[in-house]
Structure formats: C-alpha cells, structure tokens
C-alpha cells in the first residue's frame, strides 16, 4: 500500500522542496515517533505507513487492514469506546476523529496511543487522514499530576485547611469543599466570583483585606495574609485566616492568587483570652455559679478555688490551697480520678465527664467535670469546672419511676386508653379498660384501626383530627361509639399528641358516660320543668318570655302574663295531706293546658302558683285587654269547678293578676313583678278575683324601698346575727360542720324571716357589704369554737352561703384570704356554698376564683343542686367537692317517686365524680333512712336541730362531744 497523498496539488509546481518528497516526509515522521494513517469510513478499511506498525509493537505490519482487524490491536478494556467512536463517524456524525486507547506490545508492556485525523471528503468518499503518536509518557505524567493533586487535597484536608485560587482578569475563584464550608457557603467546592466567595466577611474586615491586597500589589509585603470573621449560615461566626501568593503575567500585571484558609477561631479565642486582664479572669473565676479549681499539673496541688467551690463542697480556701486532691480525699473513687487524669493527658481536655466526689461533711455528689490544661506564669496548670448534677440524676431516676407508674396507671385505669399511630390510626397499645368499653381484647385490637373494628362509626375520627390540627389537643369530646356487638354508647374522649420511639402517635382516653348522659338528660328536663306537673318552671318561662318579647317587638304584637294563685290551697294540704294537694295541682294543670292555645305557655312557679303566657295578640290595647280578661274569666270559672278526690268534693278558686307585654314591662322580671302586684291586689280584694296591673299599684314597691332603708340601718346598728344549723354524719351521729344562716332582729318588728329581706339585699347590692360581714363573723365564730376545743380543725367545716353579686367582686378572693388570716383560721375549715346563679354569670371568672381559693385550702359546695340546669352542665369543670340536695326533693321524697329518683341520680352522679353529698331539710327519720339507703349519709335539718344562736349551738357541741 502506498502512503496517502498528503502533498498539495501545487507541490509539483515550481522548485522542489524537502517536504515535497513523500519518502523523506515519512522518514521524518517515523524518526519523530509519529505514524501516518488513513481510514475509509465507507469501506471500513485502514491504511498506514510501514513505520506506523512499530507504534503497535509490530515488526511487520500490513499496509492495509479492515476496521475489525484494527480493533483487535486495541486493548480489550478500550475497545468498546473506540468502536463506538468509529461507528458514529461511519453514520456521518462529525468530521474529526480523536481517540486515545491502549495497546499491548508482544513484551506485555502497555502503551498509550492517540489517533488524530480530519475528514478528507472527496467525491462522496468519507476518508479520514491523520497521525498516530505514542502518548505513554504524557499519560504517565498526567496520572502523576493527578496523584499529586489528590495527595495535596488529602494533606490539606488532614490539616483542616481549605485552598482557593482566584483568576484575577476573569474574577473567577475556585475553592475546595473545606474552604467553602469555612466561609459558610455552599456544600461542596465553590466556583464563582471573588466578591461572592467573601460576601460573608464582616464589613470592617473587608476593608482590612483590601488594605493587605493593596500592600501586596505595591510590594510592601511578599505574601498576602489576613484574619477575618465569616458569618455562617446559622448566624454564628468563625475566625478565619487566609494566606495566599500573588502571581503576575508576562507584563507584570496581577494574574492570579492561590492560597489556603484555616479555621483560626480557637487560636483567636486563645489570643483574646490571653489578652484579657488578670482582673477580668479573676472576676469570671470568682463569680462563676459552678465550682472552679486551679491546680498544678505535676502534683495536683490546689492553687486556687472560687467561692462556689466552698459553697458546694464545704472547704474554705484555707482548708484546701496547698494540698492535693488525694490529701483532702475529695474524690470518692481513686481509680476514677486516675482514669480521668489519663484521659485529660491524652486528649488535653475533659468535657462533662461524670464523677463522684465527697464534700467536707462526707456527703456524695455527682458532678459533670470539665478540665483544661493552661499555662500560668510558665507553669502548666489544670483549671477544672464542677457542675453538680446530683439533682438531675435524681430527676432522671424519678422520671424512670414515673414511666413505670404511667405503665401501671395505663393498664389499671378504669378508662379505656389507646395509643395509636397518628398517620394511620393503627392501634399500638390498648389497656384492659378498652376491652370493657368495646368488647375487643388486646390481641384482637393491636394492629387494627378504629374503622376496622367499627368502634367509632361515621366521620368522628376525622372530626377529632381536625380539632387536633386547630387546637393541638382534644378535651372531653363527646361522641357516640359502639362495642363489637353494635350496641351504641355515649363516650367522652380526650386526645393528646405524643411521640413514641420517634413516631407521631395519639394518646386517647375514653370513658362510657351513657349513664351520666341519661342522668344529665333527666336532670336537664327537671331543670326546666316542674317535677310534679311536668309544666315549664320559672327558668323555662323566663326563656320563653325573652323570646316572645323580641318576637312581639319585631311584629308589633302584644302578649299577656296571667299570674294565678289558688285560694286557701294550704288548707287542702293541711287537712287532707300533700298527696291530695298534689292531685289537685295535677288536675288544675290539666284544666289549664286544655283551656289555652298550643302557642301559649302554662308554667308552675312553685307551690300553688301558676302562670299562663298568652302570646301573639294583635289589635288595639283595649281589644287585647278585653280579650285577655275574657280568657282570665274563662280560666277562673273553669278552675272553680268542683272536683272529687278520695270521696272529698273540693272546689278551688283562683286569684289572677294580669300584666300586659310590652305595656307593663318588657323583661321577665318586670312582667312577673307587676303580675304579682296585680295578683296581690286580687287577693286583697277578697280572692277568686281578676286584677289588671295599674301604675297605681306601687305600694308594694314603696314597702320594698322602705325595707331597703331599714336594712341599710340594720348593718350599722348591728341588728344582724348568725345562727348555725348542724351538719351531721348519720353513720356516727357526730356533728361534722354547720351552715351559717343570717338572721335579722328588727327593733320594732322583732325577728324577720330571711325570705322577707334576702332578696332585697341581693337586688339593692347591700348583699356585698352584708356578705362581707357574714364572712368575718363566721370566721370569728369558728375561731372561738376552735379555741374552746368544741370543734376539731381537721374534721369540722363551716359552710358560708355566697351570693352571685358578692362573688363577682374583683377582690373577693383576697377578701376571703385576708379574713381567714386575720382570724387565724385554717382555710380548710371554710366551705363556700355557691349556687347556679354564680356559675352561669361568668364561667371563666368563676373557675379562676374557685381554683385560686382551692389552692389555699378553701373548698366549695354546690347549693340547691338539682333545681337548675347549669349546675350539672358545668359541674365537671368546677372544683366543687360537695353537692347539697335541695330540701324540695327531700320533703316529698317519701311520697313522690320522681323526687326519690332525683335523689338517687344525684347521689350516683356524685359518687362517679368523686364528690360528697349532703341533704338539706331532713325533718323525718324516714327521710333520713331513704337517704342512707341511697348512699347519702350527711344531712342537716330539723330532725337533728333547727338553726341555733352561737351559745345554744356551742351547748349542742358540748353535749355531743365525747
């Protein structure tokens, strides 16, 4: 094969030149270690000069071969990429061939060759022509350079150095990974502008760096060195030191800088510490709250201790300075001291190593010890800080004990407790209470969800999750669940998010409140209805009056309130007994309900008092008045019809007072008051009469005003007195407390019933001042009884009634506590009785005041329980520990199953809530027997004693004392 024609077409023209001789040119190339080749990409054939074969280690090589023959000469590991490059050119991709590959010579040596050629496309022939050269030495040099760079990187990394290089004309800066990390920049190497690399440098340090660079350019220094602060991504700062060298180009202009960065934070801090004054060091040493000692390294002799050392360990400086730790015996374990000393010598530091020490009084303390070796006055010393962690370890031990207690509480709790994964709802742990609630045993529930078990049907779990997202927790969530048999249950659920082994979980506690809900519903009904007649009571009537007042005002309508009282009804109770009286009241109820429209309301306020509310009346006032009188007359006639009970022919006539709304008032209180005034006039007129309220009927109001004035004087003249009614434990017969009752001795009229003046005190606001007097006097009485030895501070409680207006005073809590302190009385001896009126006005304020007093030992009782609605609604939120069953239930409990059932429900509920219960108005032994049968053993009433003045009550205590 002849060598390829590389001589230009015009080479034959003119005089012959050395390079125009092809043989001479090939000889020169061979001598230079270069081979010439051509490759026909279409025919896939290779041609080369005879000397080219020597580059492949061949003594005799063919001048032409196929592409496949050529690939056989290529080292096997490089053959795939060489073949791929040639195939790409065959397909017409590219006009240049540049390939590096290895060949193995017959002597097993490995050589690196580089093929470089250009397309010579003539007449559609894809012919590549070029040179082959041996680059084995260059390749070895490149590998050596790469190894050298890698060793340099390793050396810099081991020295905790970062390197950077700045190409000045292009302002491109490359920095290693460590350099980027020290600057607080990106993770990994940096490749960007000079300004971006140093953007984290403080402004003041940038100016110093510019000055150092200017000095370098001016020749005032030979190398660049600067120490500066760099702000890290987390806001912290590092002290860095950068050292670099400047390289100039051929014209002497700055070309590049190459340098290293080292973290100089520790060194700078050391320099700063060394620069600090001895006075500052002394202040830090002496003022540290942790014990610090300074001792010689060579023999451990103490050179200095701070005041905290003396406080914690008990040794004064005079006891310890000049002596070693071994002499003093401060270390409890000598082997531990030796081990920590060896660790200090090895690491040159100790950080929070735990060790035990003895105090001067031989107590054992556990401390976290940190030590450093420092040089003071050319002597190596050890400065040691001791942090007492004895309490922390005790706390950790307590935590472990607490966890054990939690586990016991978890499994023994009567409530159902569930731990589930928050994301999936899968049950991780359930207790025995869950089995009692749902019927599913632990092995059946674990790994399942509430949906799979069907215990929370519907979307209730999603609603719980939504509240968790809003408020972070769920407290006392009422829901309807079911057990495995499909039986519905009212359940109260509380949920807290917890983390368990790194997994977000929910801690759910649930209790069955079905019985409580049933009792709640029953008492809720009774709170709004009269238990005897099932008519709306005063509470429900008030609510409907408010609704109708708004409705009438909106539609320009009128209404009327008919206040009915049965004439001489007391005679029936006294002569025929309460059962007949109750039967009469039920008959009256039936006649009233049958005589009014469905939209009207018939209510019983108590005793023989009824109210008929007529609503939606239209027309002029005269027309409405005439219509209302007709209705009232119809009711009067109907109620007066005779009735027969147990062979007794009875006739009951009513007296009726009428108030028009809104003419005679818009509020329930005004309407009832004015209808009551009209009723009083009807009774005064001879009974069995009807009276419409008129503005002239104000004598009662005048009398009320006069009574208010007399009450104001009564407090000044000390006309009030406290009587005490004993509270008895029927099981022992012992007096366990007393209720304080207010009495008034009028200078002209004598003893006045509380029913005549308590309401006036409340409405006028005098109750605040009188109530404060009652509290002071009650505490004085209790202190006097205690001083005489008639009562025991641990077993006797004095109950004081608190009015809503009095409780609402801002300084109520302080006034109670100050009074107790002044009387020298233990707060636990006082129990404050509150009513529904206090609770419903401002629940948050009520709870806050009650809890403040409870923290001091004062307790609370809920008075007249069962007669209102709110008391049950809020009971579980109030810190009350005693329920008082209203005397209205006790009075009729023997003859009215409803009252007996209410008592049973109240006692059962109190027991479930862990509350005590006491019954009021116990007058008969049979009543007490019934109460004890239901589980109520505390009572007060005429069966034991009426309310007594202090002297008589003291005598009762003296007689009853052992």
């Amino acid at each position: 094969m002849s060598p390829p024609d590389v001589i230009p077409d015009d080479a034959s023209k003119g005089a012959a030149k050395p390079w125009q001789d092809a043989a001479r040119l090939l000889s020169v190339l061979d001598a230079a270690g270069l081979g010439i080749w051509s490759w026909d990409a279409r025919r896939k054939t290779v041609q080369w000069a005879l000397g080219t074969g020597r580059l492949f280690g061949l003594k005799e090589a063919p001048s032409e071969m196929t592409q496949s023959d050529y690939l056989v000469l290529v080292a096997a590991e490089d053959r795939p990429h060489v073949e791929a490059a040639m195939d790409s050119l065959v397909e017409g991709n590219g006009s240049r061939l540049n390939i590096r590959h290895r060949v193995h010579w017959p002597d097993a040596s490995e050589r690196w060759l580089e093929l470089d050629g250009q397309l010579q496309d003539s007449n559609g022939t894809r012919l590549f022509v070029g040179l082959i050269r041996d680059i084995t030495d260059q390749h070895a040099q490149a590998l050596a350079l790469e190894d050298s760079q890698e060793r340099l990187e390793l050396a810099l990394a081991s020295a905790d150095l970062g390197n950077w290089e700045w190409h000045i004309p292009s302002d491109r800066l490359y920095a290693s990974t460590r350099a980027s990390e020290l600057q607080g920049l990106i993770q990994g190497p940096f490749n960007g502008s000079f300004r971006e690399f140093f953007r984290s440098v403080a402004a003041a340090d940038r100016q110093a760096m510019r000055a150092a660079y200017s000095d370098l350019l001016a020749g005032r220094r030979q190398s660049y060195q600067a120490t500066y602060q760099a702000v890290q991504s987390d806001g912290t700062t590092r002290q860095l030191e950068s050292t670099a060298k400047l390289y100039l180009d051929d014209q002497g202009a700055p070309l590049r800088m190459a340098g290293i960065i080292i973290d100089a934070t520790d060194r700078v801090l050391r320099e700063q510490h060394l620069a600090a004054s001895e006075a500052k060091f002394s202040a830090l040493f002496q003022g540290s709250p942790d014990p610090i000692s300074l001792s010689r390294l060579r023999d451990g002799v103490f050179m200095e201790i701070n005041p905290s050392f003396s406080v914690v360990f008990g040794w004064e400086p005079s006891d310890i300075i000049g002596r070693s730790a071994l002499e003093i015996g401060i270390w409890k374990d000598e082997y531990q001291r030796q081990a920590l000393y060896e660790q200090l010598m090895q690491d040159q530091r100790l950080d929070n190593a735990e060790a035990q020490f003895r105090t001067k009084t031989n107590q054992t303390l556990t401390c976290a010890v940190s030590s450093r070796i420092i040089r003071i006055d050319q002597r190596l010393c050890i400065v040691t800080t001791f942090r007492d962690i004895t309490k922390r370890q005790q706390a950790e031990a307590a935590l472990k004990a607490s966890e054990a207690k939690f586990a016991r509480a978890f499994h023994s709790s009567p409530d159902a407790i569930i731990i589930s994964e928050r994301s999936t709802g899968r049950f991780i742990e359930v207790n025995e209470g869950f089995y009692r609630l749902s019927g599913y045993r632990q092995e059946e529930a674990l790994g399942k969800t509430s949906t799979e078990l069907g215990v929370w049907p519907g979307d209730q779990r999603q609603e719980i999750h939504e509240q968790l997202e809003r408020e972070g927790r769920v407290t006392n969530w009422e829901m309807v669940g079911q057990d495995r048999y499909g039986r519905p249950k009212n359940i109260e659920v509380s949920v807290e998010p917890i983390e368990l082994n790194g997994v977000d979980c929910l801690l759910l506690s649930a209790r069955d409140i079905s019985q409580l809900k049933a009792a709640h519903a029953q008492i809720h009904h009774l709170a709004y209805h009269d238990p005897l007649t099932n008519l709306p009571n005063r509470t429900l009537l008030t609510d409907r009056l408010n609704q109708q007042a708004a409705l009438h005002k909106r539609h320009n309508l009128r209404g009327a309130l008919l206040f009915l009282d049965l004439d001489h009804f007391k005679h029936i109770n006294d002569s025929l007994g309460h059962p007949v009286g109750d039967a009469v009241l039920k008959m009256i109820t039936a006649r009233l309900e049958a005589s009014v429209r469905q939209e009207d309301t018939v209510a019983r306020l108590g005793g023989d008092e009824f109210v008929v509310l007529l609503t939606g009346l239209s027309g002029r006032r005269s027309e409405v008045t005439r219509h209302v009188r007709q209705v009232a007359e119809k009711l009067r006639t109907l109620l007066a019809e005779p009735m027969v009970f147990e062979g007794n022919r009875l006739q009951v006539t009513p007296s009726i007072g009428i108030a028009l709304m809104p003419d005679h008032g818009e509020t329930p209180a005004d309407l009832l008051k004015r209808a009551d005034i009209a009723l009083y006039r009807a009774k005064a007129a001879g009974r069995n009469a009807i009276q419409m309220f008129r503005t002239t009927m104000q004598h009662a109001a005048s009398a009320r005003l006069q009574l208010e004035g007399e009450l104001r004087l009564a407090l000044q003249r000390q006309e009030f007195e406290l009587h005490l009614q004993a509270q008895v434990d029927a099981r022992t017969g012992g007096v366990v407390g007393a209720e304080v009752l207010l009495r008034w001795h009028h200078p002209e009229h004598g003893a006045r019933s509380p029913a005549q003046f308590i309401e006036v005190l409340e409405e006028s606001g005098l109750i605040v001042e009188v109530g404060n007097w009652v509290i002071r006097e009650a505490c004085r009485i209790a202190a006097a009884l205690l001083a005489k030895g008639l009562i025991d501070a641990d077993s006797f409680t004095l109950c004081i009634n608190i009015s809503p207006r009095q409780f609402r005073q801002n300084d109520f809590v302080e006034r109670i506590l100050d009074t107790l302190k002044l009387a020298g009385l233990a707060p636990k001896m006082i129990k404050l009785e509150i009513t529904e009126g206090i609770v419903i006005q401002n629940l948050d304020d009520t709870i806050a005041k009650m809890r403040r007093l409870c923290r001091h030992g004062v307790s609370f009782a809920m008075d007249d329980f069962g007669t209102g609605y709110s008391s049950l609604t809020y009971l579980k939120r109030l810190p009350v520990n005693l329920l008082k069953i209203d005397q209205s239930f006790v009075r009729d409990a023997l003859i009215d199953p409803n009252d007996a059932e209410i008592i049973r429900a109240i006692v059962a509920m109190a027991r479930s809530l862990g509350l005590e219960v006491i019954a009021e108005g116990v007058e008969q032994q049979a009543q007490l027997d019934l109460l004890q049968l239901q589980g109520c053993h505390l009572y007060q009433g005429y069966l034991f004693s009426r309310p007594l003045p202090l002297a008589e009550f003291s005598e009762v205590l003296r007689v009853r004392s052992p």
Side-chain angles (χ1 to χ4, degrees):
M1 177 181 102
S2 60
D5 187 1
V6 297
I7 303 175
D9 293 340
D10 58 353
S12 60
K13 299 178 183 180
K17 297 181 180 179
W19 303 114
Q20 294 174 348
D21 186 343
R24 181 178 298 176
L25 177 59
L26 292 175
S27 176
V28 170
L29 292 174
D30 287 342
L34 301 174
I36 191 168
W37 58 271
S38 68
W39 172 51
D40 190 331
R42 296 193 184 279
R43 294 174 54 219
K44 294 188 177 182
T45 58
V46 178
Q47 296 180 343
W48 59 24
L50 294 177
T52 304
R54 288 194 293 272
L55 296 176
F56 290 83
L58 305 176
K59 294 181 179 179
E60 296 182 5
S63 59
E64 181 175 307
M65 66 182 71
T66 65
Q67 180 176 316
S68 299
D69 293 335
Y70 179 83
L71 290 173
V72 171
L73 299 176
V74 178
E77 51 268 41
D78 296 338
R79 198 172 293 155
H81 85 264
V82 172
E83 183 176 10
M86 298 180 78
D87 289 344
S88 177
L89 293 172
V90 168
E91 294 173 0
N93 299 322
S95 61
R96 183 179 181 83
L97 175 66
N98 185 271
I99 302 173
R100 293 184 179 188
H101 65 77
R102 287 167 286 185
V103 296
H104 293 100
W105 282 19
D107 61 359
S109 63
E110 183 179 82
R111 311 292 293 179
W112 277 88
L113 302 181
E114 181 183 57
L115 284 73
D116 187 67
Q118 189 70 33
L119 176 64
Q120 302 290 326
D121 197 351
S122 178
N123 299 325
T125 302
R126 289 185 62 79
L127 181 68
F128 290 84
V129 177
L131 297 175
I132 301 178
R133 64 190 181 96
D134 189 332
I135 61 170
T136 303
D137 293 340
Q138 296 92 317
H139 185 74
Q141 291 173 359
L143 288 177
L145 178 59
E146 184 177 338
D147 290 343
S148 175
Q149 290 176 339
E150 183 175 352
R151 286 194 298 273
L152 175 60
E153 290 286 346
L154 290 173
L156 291 174
S158 64
D160 203 22
L161 300 176
N163 62 293
W164 57 272
E165 183 172 344
W166 176 31
H167 186 258
I168 298 174
S170 64
D171 193 34
R172 299 298 294 178
L173 187 144
Y174 167 80
S176 66
T177 299
R178 179 57 179 161
S180 297
E181 177 189 347
L182 291 173
Q183 287 290 131
L185 299 174
I186 61 175
Q187 299 244 341
F190 175 83
N191 190 356
S193 69
F194 179 89
R195 182 182 299 273
E196 176 66 17
F197 183 71
F198 288 102
R199 64 180 169 82
S200 62
V201 178
D205 292 338
R206 291 183 190 174
Q207 185 63 32
M209 294 171 69
R210 294 191 190 99
Y213 181 67
S214 299
D215 290 345
L216 185 64
L217 290 179
R220 289 189 290 273
R221 62 169 66 187
Q222 299 301 313
S223 62
Y224 172 84
Q225 185 173 7
T227 301
Y228 56 89
Q229 287 187 342
V231 180
Q232 305 299 295
S233 59
D234 60 358
T236 60
T237 58
R238 279 179 175 164
Q239 294 283 349
L240 304 180
E241 182 178 272
S242 182
T243 303
K245 186 174 181 181
L246 176 67
Y247 297 90
L248 307 176
D249 61 11
D250 295 339
Q251 287 74 37
L255 178 62
R256 65 187 181 91
M257 284 182 71
I260 61 172
I261 297 176
I262 187 171
D263 188 348
T265 304
D266 291 341
R267 191 198 72 201
V268 170
L269 290 175
R270 287 196 301 271
E271 292 173 352
Q272 291 174 350
H273 292 164
L274 291 174
S277 67
E278 184 176 340
K280 183 177 180 180
F281 172 80
S282 177
L284 293 173
F285 182 86
Q286 298 295 333
S288 171
D290 292 329
I292 303 176
S293 69
L294 184 67
S295 58
R296 289 198 300 259
L297 179 63
R298 61 183 175 86
D299 55 11
V301 169
F302 286 104
M303 301 170 60
E304 188 67 59
I305 61 173
N306 70 343
S308 295
F309 189 97
S310 298
V311 172
V312 173
F313 293 106
W315 281 289
E316 297 297 329
S318 58
D319 300 328
I320 198 169
I321 293 175
R323 303 171 65 190
S324 68
L326 287 176
E327 295 178 71
I328 297 171
I330 191 172
W331 288 81
K332 186 171 183 179
D333 188 343
E334 172 59 21
Y335 294 103
Q336 188 179 46
R337 184 196 71 81
Q338 185 62 33
L340 292 180
Y341 178 79
E342 292 174 359
Q343 182 180 343
L344 173 63
M345 292 297 98
Q346 176 181 337
D347 301 337
Q348 297 296 294
R349 62 190 294 164
L350 278 180
D351 290 306
N352 295 319
E354 292 189 9
Q356 290 189 318
F357 298 89
R358 289 191 180 95
T359 67
K360 188 175 181 179
T361 57
N362 207 32
Q363 292 180 327
T364 299
L365 296 180
T366 302
C367 296
V369 181
S370 297
S371 297
R372 298 291 185 273
I373 298 175
I374 63 174
R375 185 178 296 275
I376 298 179
D377 298 332
Q378 304 303 315
R379 289 185 297 182
L380 291 176
C381 302
I382 303 174
V383 59
T384 302
T385 301
F386 306 81
R387 178 161 296 167
D388 187 358
I389 59 172
T390 307
K391 292 183 179 179
R392 189 192 76 187
Q393 288 188 331
Q394 293 172 348
E396 291 174 351
L399 177 60
K400 292 181 180 178
S402 176
E403 291 174 348
K405 291 178 182 177
F406 171 79
R408 289 196 297 271
F410 178 88
H411 291 290
S412 62
S413 172
D415 294 339
I417 304 179
I418 304 162
I419 300 177
S420 63
E421 289 183 350
R422 183 164 186 166
S423 58
T424 65
R426 184 174 59 86
F427 290 174
I428 298 175
E429 190 67 58
V430 299
N431 69 344
E432 188 67 19
F434 179 77
Y435 166 68
R436 291 191 295 269
L437 179 67
S438 68
Y440 289 102
R441 295 196 175 274
Q442 185 183 51
E443 58 271 17
E444 296 176 302
L446 296 185
K448 303 290 183 61
T449 67
S450 59
T451 302
E452 292 172 339
L453 297 178
V455 291
W456 322 131
D459 299 329
Q460 297 183 93
R461 183 176 183 274
Q462 180 61 32
E463 294 174 3
I464 291 177
H465 272 271
E466 290 173 358
Q467 183 166 340
L468 273 174
E469 293 297 327
R470 291 193 306 269
E471 303 180 12
R473 63 188 302 181
V474 174
T475 305
N476 299 329
W477 177 287
E478 292 189 9
M479 57 189 295
V480 178
Q482 63 183 29
D483 60 15
R484 69 184 305 164
Y485 308 107
R487 293 176 299 203
K489 293 188 175 184
N490 290 299
I491 300 171
E492 185 179 78
V493 173
S494 295
V495 185
E496 292 279 354
I498 62 171
E499 184 177 300
L500 192 63
N501 298 327
V503 178
D504 289 335
C505 299
L506 297 178
L507 175 64
L508 182 147
S509 61
R511 65 176 56 182
D512 187 351
I513 59 170
S514 300
Q515 292 184 353
L516 184 62
K517 288 287 287 186
H520 187 175
Q522 182 181 6
I523 298 180
H524 177 276
H525 177 80
L526 294 174
Y528 280 100
H529 294 81
D530 172 52
L532 175 64
T533 63
N534 205 34
L535 290 176
N537 60 10
R538 184 183 295 271
T539 302
L540 184 54
L541 175 65
T542 301
D543 182 61
R544 292 188 180 176
L545 278 171
N546 282 321
Q547 294 177 8
Q548 292 302 319
L551 186 64
H552 290 170
K553 186 174 183 180
R554 189 180 308 120
H555 298 287
N556 195 24
L557 297 173
R558 281 187 167 87
L561 197 68
L562 280 62
F563 205 140
L564 291 81
D565 184 270
L566 303 181
D567 300 332
H568 306 297
F569 179 76
K570 185 174 183 298
H571 295 167
I572 296 177
N573 281 333
D574 293 342
S575 60
L576 301 179
H578 286 285
V580 175
D582 290 345
V584 171
L585 293 176
K586 292 178 180 178
M587 177 61 74
I588 295 296
T589 298
R591 290 180 178 182
L592 288 174
E593 288 184 317
S595 303
V596 298
R597 301 170 301 171
Q598 187 175 359
E599 59 266 31
D600 297 331
T601 298
V602 178
R604 181 188 178 206
L605 300 188
D608 58 345
E609 293 182 338
F610 293 84
V611 169
V612 176
L613 172 62
L614 304 178
T615 61
L617 305 178
S618 59
R620 294 191 300 271
R621 175 173 176 173
S622 59
E623 296 173 346
V624 170
T625 301
R626 184 168 53 253
H627 172 71
V628 171
R629 283 186 177 276
Q630 290 173 353
V631 173
E633 182 61 31
K634 174 184 175 183
L635 294 177
R636 189 188 66 79
T637 303
L638 179 64
L639 297 184
E641 291 182 358
M643 58 187 77
V644 178
F645 292 101
E646 298 180 359
N648 298 299
R649 185 175 184 276
L650 304 176
Q651 184 174 17
V652 179
T653 59
S655 297
I656 303 176
I658 303 173
L660 297 179
M661 55 187 297
D663 306 82
H664 296 151
E666 295 183 353
T667 67
D670 288 342
L671 288 167
L672 285 169
K673 180 172 64 176
R674 286 160 188 171
D676 192 18
I677 290 173
L679 173 62
Y680 178 81
R681 292 298 299 271
K683 284 180 172 293
R687 306 180 187 273
N688 193 18
I690 300 171
Q691 284 287 340
M692 180 77 69
F693 174 79
R694 295 190 302 274
T695 55
T696 57
M697 299 177 180
Q698 295 298 323
H699 64 280
S702 300
R704 177 67 61 89
L705 184 61
Q706 180 181 355
L707 180 59
E708 182 180 333
E710 292 175 346
L711 285 170
R712 292 185 185 277
L713 292 174
L715 186 60
Q716 300 174 11
R717 297 172 179 173
Q718 299 182 353
E719 297 171 3
F720 290 117
E721 181 184 7
L722 295 186
H723 284 197
L724 297 96
Q725 185 172 36
Q727 295 177 335
V728 185
D729 188 336
R731 292 166 294 191
T732 64
V735 177
V736 297
E739 180 179 1
V740 175
L741 300 170
L742 182 64
R743 295 294 182 262
W744 178 25
H745 292 277
H746 193 280
E748 297 178 6
H749 305 293
R752 300 290 296 268
S753 170
Q756 296 176 328
F757 65 85
I758 291 295
E759 183 179 355
V760 178
L761 287 175
E762 186 72 44
E763 291 180 356
S764 64
L766 286 171
I767 194 66
V768 175
E769 191 174 355
V770 174
N772 292 335
W773 176 85
V774 169
I775 293 171
R776 292 194 301 270
E777 183 66 9
C779 290
R780 185 194 66 79
I781 289 174
L785 294 174
L786 191 63
K788 294 178 181 178
L790 297 176
I791 60 174
D792 185 351
D794 294 327
S795 59
F796 187 90
T797 305
L798 202 61
C799 294
I800 305 173
N801 290 282
I802 303 298
S803 77
R805 188 185 293 268
Q806 183 183 9
F807 192 88
R808 293 279 77 82
Q809 298 300 305
N810 293 331
D811 62 344
F812 176 74
V813 174
E814 290 74 15
R815 190 177 296 275
I816 293 290
L817 297 177
D818 291 345
T819 304
L820 287 168
K821 184 177 181 181
L822 185 63
L825 202 62
K828 65 181 180 180
M829 293 188 65
I830 295 300
K831 188 181 298 293
L832 302 182
E833 295 192 12
I834 62 173
T835 61
E836 175 187 12
I838 291 177
V839 174
I840 64 176
Q841 288 185 14
N842 188 333
L843 180 62
D844 293 336
D845 178 67
T846 299
I847 294 175
K849 288 179 177 176
M850 292 176 69
R851 285 180 176 171
R852 286 177 60 193
L853 287 170
C854 286
R855 285 196 293 270
H856 289 278
V858 178
S859 58
F860 285 88
M862 178 66 76
D863 198 11
D864 300 334
F865 188 76
T867 61
Y869 166 66
S870 300
S871 54
L872 178 62
T873 302
Y874 303 125
L875 184 58
K876 60 184 178 182
R877 298 184 58 187
L878 297 173
V880 172
N881 62 357
L882 176 68
L883 301 183
K884 301 194 74 174
I885 301 176
D886 188 67
Q887 60 182 349
S888 62
F889 300 127
V890 176
R891 183 183 63 240
D892 299 331
L894 297 175
I895 56 177
D896 190 338
N898 288 330
D899 287 341
E901 182 63 22
I902 290 173
I903 292 174
R904 188 202 63 78
I906 293 174
V907 173
M909 183 179 61
R911 185 184 300 112
S912 68
L913 295 176
L915 304 178
E916 289 187 306
V917 63
I918 185 171
E920 296 180 302
V922 179
E923 300 178 358
Q924 303 173 30
Q925 182 62 41
Q927 294 172 338
L928 180 58
D929 294 340
L930 174 63
L931 289 167
Q932 291 204 79
L933 184 63
Q934 298 297 338
C936 176
H937 304 289
L938 301 180
Y939 75 97
Q940 66 183 80
Y942 279 28
L943 178 62
F944 181 82
S945 172
R946 63 181 177 84
L948 300 173
L950 175 59
E952 296 180 32
F953 182 75
S954 299
E955 186 61 28
V956 170
L957 292 178
R958 189 173 292 106
V959 171
R960 303 290 292 193
S961 62

